[in-house]
Amino acid sequence: MRLNVTERRYLAVLLAVLSVVVLVLVGRRLNATKVGGQGPAEPFRIAGNFYYVGASDAAAFLIIGPEGHVVLDAGYPTTARLVMESIEKLGFDIKDVKVLLNSEPHADHGGGLAAIQQASGAQLWASDASADSLASGGDDPDVVLPLRALVWLGVVGYYPPPRVDHRFKDGDTIRVGPIALTAHITAGHTRGCTSWSFPVRDGDRVLNVVSACDLGVLATSQYPEQAADRERSIRVLRGLPADIWVTCHARWWGRYRKFVASTTAKNPVEPFIDPEGYRAYLDAAEAELREGRTH
Ligand SMILES: [Zn+2]
């Protein structure tokens, strides 16, 4: 069979459209099963009512209270299952989780929130900028266009997205019974990046916890006020008292090293008390900013 020019053109267009459709479908499938190198991690108590329930690196935290629990971050859509198994393993009921919080809405921290919200019925609180991104499954106007288009096509991002129930402002405190977490909008990595500070009780002392947001910049996600935002965020975080500190990537705060040390320590809380590590994290973020590095 010989095709004339018009038929050949028609066939070429058809093949091009088909390959795009196949690429999108394969991409969506890969996205739905993406674990980002995450493996399961043993859940453990950090101090008082504060627990680690995340994966090997994509962190998730549980703060328990008599009137309901709080979960901060949930990893990828596919790691939400690990988070829920960890909560159960610690002896807590997912249905008692009443509030969901997020550090930043990229898929490795916001992707699992929808599944946890569905299982628990918890209310999700977010900063204005994070709320828009979370509710759209990870879309972010600051991300470079080709990558953003992949979010629209479902090749990256998370579907269905979580439902954002409440928005907070910088400095607001979210409460569930006696639990009180203060939101610090520390923009830079994303515009709505949120750090959290809250007290935990260890015996007769009260320890200050800071969950610091990512302070680095991705080459694919930049905006004009970013350097000034990072400058301010580092200053804000330097002003927070931190006995215990964590971040959304567990390797940055030494999850495994501290966990292992805690299993043999006289007081298992002691290895997590690390104000020097917190200062070093902020110093490293400041050096990255001064040297104009991305990560
Ligand atoms: Zn991120």
Side-chain angles (χ1 to χ4, degrees):
M1 179 180 81
R2 289 190 67 93
L3 299 175
N4 65 34
V5 176
T6 319
E7 284 167 338
R8 266 190 253 155
R9 276 204 195 125
Y10 180 73
L11 195 64
V13 170
L14 194 69
L15 281 174
V17 170
L18 264 179
S19 16
V20 170
V21 169
V22 167
L23 278 176
V24 167
L25 290 178
V26 169
R28 280 187 178 199
R29 172 89 195 124
L30 289 175
N31 184 39
T33 54
K34 186 163 76 183
V35 292
Q38 297 299 307
E42 189 66 25
F44 55 90
R45 185 206 298 263
I46 297 174
N49 61 344
F50 179 42
Y51 295 83
Y52 186 76
V53 291
S56 50
D57 183 53
F61 303 94
L62 173 72
I63 300 118
I64 61 151
E67 287 172 43
H69 312 328
V70 175
V71 165
L72 166 59
D73 285 339
Y76 290 95
T78 45
T79 45
R81 183 181 53 80
L82 300 178
V83 173
M84 291 193 269
E85 283 170 6
S86 289
I87 291 172
E88 198 177 314
K89 196 168 175 185
L90 289 168
F92 302 113
D93 188 345
I94 188 72
K95 295 262 186 255
D96 290 332
V97 175
K98 300 297 179 204
V99 164
L100 297 178
L101 303 174
N102 172 240
S103 54
E104 53 105 347
H106 288 155
D108 48 349
H109 312 297
L113 290 170
I116 293 185
Q117 186 171 51
Q118 212 163 25
S120 64
Q123 305 256 304
L124 171 60
W125 291 73
S127 64
D128 280 331
S130 290
D132 293 340
S133 189
L134 286 166
S136 63
D139 187 24
D140 180 345
D142 297 320
V143 167
V144 292
L145 192 60
L147 199 59
R148 221 183 145 194
L150 293 180
V151 177
W152 301 334
L153 291 170
V155 177
V156 294
Y158 38 95
Y159 304 91
R163 180 193 71 239
V164 179
D165 301 286
H166 309 279
R167 294 174 179 232
F168 56 73
K169 298 279 176 230
D170 185 33
D172 282 356
T173 297
I174 317 299
R175 294 176 194 278
V176 187
I179 302 173
L181 296 105
T182 301
H184 308 273
I185 298 177
T186 45
H189 181 71
T190 60
R191 289 181 196 256
C193 219
T194 309
S195 298
W196 297 93
S197 64
F198 53 98
V200 295
R201 184 165 280 284
D202 174 49
D204 54 7
R205 63 179 172 171
V206 172
L207 299 167
N208 295 305
V209 178
V210 174
S211 167
C213 207
D214 192 338
L215 292 162
V217 160
L218 299 175
T220 49
S221 177
Q222 302 192 16
Y223 61 91
E225 314 83 10
Q226 199 164 28
D229 278 354
R230 290 164 78 199
E231 196 89 51
R232 179 191 168 274
S233 297
I234 292 168
R235 204 169 56 239
V236 166
L237 288 169
R238 282 201 193 281
L240 296 179
D243 300 304
I244 295 173
W245 71 286
V246 294
T247 59
C248 53
H249 286 281
R251 64 179 185 275
W252 293 346
W253 53 272
R255 168 192 67 86
Y256 187 68
R257 171 174 53 80
K258 290 175 180 172
F259 165 62
V260 169
S262 78
T263 59
T264 53
K266 214 155 97 188
N267 178 352
V269 173
E270 222 52 56
F272 295 105
I273 298 179
D274 182 23
E276 303 79 25
Y278 180 63
R279 272 193 298 275
Y281 173 69
L282 298 178
D283 288 346
E286 191 157 352
E288 203 171 277
L289 170 63
R290 303 271 170 262
E291 290 157 24
R293 279 183 284 130
T294 54
H295 80 213

